[in-house]
Amino acid sequence: MRLSVLDRSRTRAGASHADALRETVEFAKQAEALGYHRFWVSEHHSVPGVAGSAPTVLAAAVASATEHIRVGTGGVMLPNHQPLVVAEQFGVLESLFPGRIDMGLGRSVGFTGGVRRALGHGKEDAEAFGEQVRQLLGFLDGSQREHPGVHAFPAEGLRVPPFLLATGSGADLAAELGLPLVIGAVRGEQRMLDAIGRYREHFRPSHWSPYPYVVLSATAAAAETAEQAERLLVPEAWASAYSRTHGVFPPLRPAEEVLALDMTDRERALFTDAMRGQIRGTGEQAAAELDALARRAGADEVLVTTSTYDRAELLDSFSRLAVSFFNRTATTANARTVSQM
């Protein structure tokens, strides 16, 4: 089973957005050394706590700084853009870094009305996501006919693997178009499993993917002890709670500062809720839990996204997780081989 990384270029209290972007590029180099399969970056607009607003630009920087790890987006929010422009951007990336670029696509729009107006795209654009994806794929393989004579050079004819980031009905679109699916348990594990089941049942083979392919997105933190791993999740959980009470997703703060806060009852409830369902423990514990979730989902790959205030602790977490996860899957594969002899 493959193990990959999604990094959202989180900002930290006392540091700049530029710091966060440079740290993302450095993190990608470290993830490559640890054996991760992909390194994806995300798209967020006008969010103080996230520096990644131009994923294809950041993906170019990541690909330039690495040698073999696959690089992509998790994802480009297609309703914010014209399909022709997105196709061209990925065509440039694939031309410069052949065989290493992934095109992850999502349907989210700006978080607030002001952001949506500034982008020139509203919630109604998200309703046309299916048609936008079809047009984008058509620009890549040369099959689009809505705009006669228009070609997405240098993308046309290039093989840029598309992935659909989805929950619920989005999984149905991935099945209909024959695309790999990226999904997480953001609405509960059972709803995720149900969506994956529908995806596999209704999948239509395509030239993009001849068979269903499921990438499971999950948050996981690993440290020397389970208690230390839990502290790694505190800064992001508080940022989530803060965003739901103040309407702004803030930079990350140290765990000790968060735990010392005098939270309101609502903030405390939201913070506690944000801590639930996250995978945490020693390397072995976190890897075992992540592996078990992936097997329940029948996933082909796991995409880990974790944010915390201390970058050294973050890298240590990904290192422990990689070592334990790869050892675990290798042991399982060897056991299967022996049983078949």
Side-chain angles (χ1 to χ4, degrees):
M1 189 180 299
R2 292 167 169 167
L3 190 62
S4 299
V5 177
L6 168 63
D7 185 61
R8 293 187 294 141
S9 302
R10 291 288 276 113
T11 60
R12 286 158 177 80
S16 68
H17 287 85
D19 291 331
L21 293 172
R22 286 190 287 266
E23 287 167 350
T24 286
V25 175
E26 186 62 29
F27 183 22
K29 293 161 62 176
Q30 295 162 335
E32 180 175 66
L34 288 169
Y36 284 89
H37 181 61
R38 309 181 202 274
F39 190 94
W40 283 4
V41 296
S42 64
E43 176 182 341
H44 297 272
H45 297 281
S46 189
V47 180
V50 182
S53 56
T56 53
V57 177
L58 185 52
V62 168
S64 293
T66 53
E67 296 181 2
H68 57 78
I69 193 170
R70 295 197 64 87
V71 177
T73 55
V76 165
M77 296 302 140
L78 194 52
N80 293 334
H81 312 279
Q82 291 297 328
L84 170 63
V85 175
V86 175
E88 291 170 338
Q89 290 172 344
F90 278 96
V92 170
L93 284 170
E94 177 62 23
S95 297
L96 294 174
F97 309 101
R100 293 182 57 203
I101 301 301
D102 300 324
M103 184 175 64
L105 305 170
R107 70 184 296 272
S108 296
V109 293
F111 183 65
T112 67
V115 173
R116 292 191 290 273
R117 287 190 295 272
L119 290 170
H121 296 281
K123 294 182 179 180
E124 66 279 0
D125 292 291
E127 300 304 317
F129 180 58
E131 183 51 41
Q132 294 162 352
V133 175
R134 292 182 181 90
Q135 188 177 125
L136 171 56
L137 297 179
F139 276 122
L140 288 173
D141 63 18
S143 65
Q144 77 84 23
R145 297 294 180 266
E146 185 173 345
H147 304 285
V150 178
H151 300 272
F153 299 132
E156 189 172 293
L158 295 182
R159 186 75 177 178
V160 185
F163 293 76
L164 210 61
L165 282 63
T167 58
S169 61
D172 301 324
L173 178 63
E176 177 186 344
L177 299 179
L179 301 180
L181 172 68
V182 183
I183 191 169
V186 293
R187 298 180 180 175
E189 182 177 329
Q190 190 55 52
R191 291 184 68 174
M192 178 190 73
L193 296 179
D194 291 343
I196 292 174
R198 294 197 311 273
Y199 167 73
R200 292 191 179 280
E201 180 181 357
H202 299 293
F203 184 86
R204 299 178 183 177
S206 71
H207 65 274
W208 300 108
S209 182
Y211 48 81
Y213 191 89
V214 176
V215 181
L216 174 67
S217 177
T219 297
E224 186 174 352
T225 67
E227 293 75 18
Q228 291 173 332
E230 180 155 341
R231 285 179 67 88
L232 294 182
L233 298 173
V234 166
E236 183 74 11
W238 169 245
S240 176
Y242 187 93
S243 71
R244 296 183 64 183
T245 53
H246 295 77
V248 176
F249 205 82
L252 297 173
R253 300 173 61 177
E256 56 270 19
E257 287 187 14
V258 172
L259 296 175
L261 290 172
D262 185 17
M263 301 183 193
T264 66
D265 290 343
R266 175 165 169 73
E267 287 172 340
R268 177 67 63 183
L270 291 170
F271 171 72
T272 301
D273 185 62
M275 290 290 290
R276 284 196 192 97
Q278 312 289 9
I279 294 173
R280 81 289 301 267
T282 64
E284 284 294 328
Q285 290 169 338
E289 191 173 344
L290 193 61
D291 184 46
L293 176 60
R295 293 185 186 283
R296 291 196 297 274
D300 302 282
E301 183 174 339
V302 176
L303 182 69
V304 180
T305 176
T306 305
S307 298
T308 195
Y309 178 81
D310 190 295
R311 295 290 299 189
E313 291 179 346
L314 179 69
L315 178 59
D316 179 70
S317 175
F318 274 91
S319 178
R320 291 174 184 273
L321 187 62
V323 170
S324 297
F325 190 85
F326 293 144
N327 284 344
R328 185 179 185 83
T329 53
T331 300
T332 301
N334 290 337
R336 287 176 178 169
T337 300
V338 171
S339 67
Q340 294 168 358
M341 294 178 63

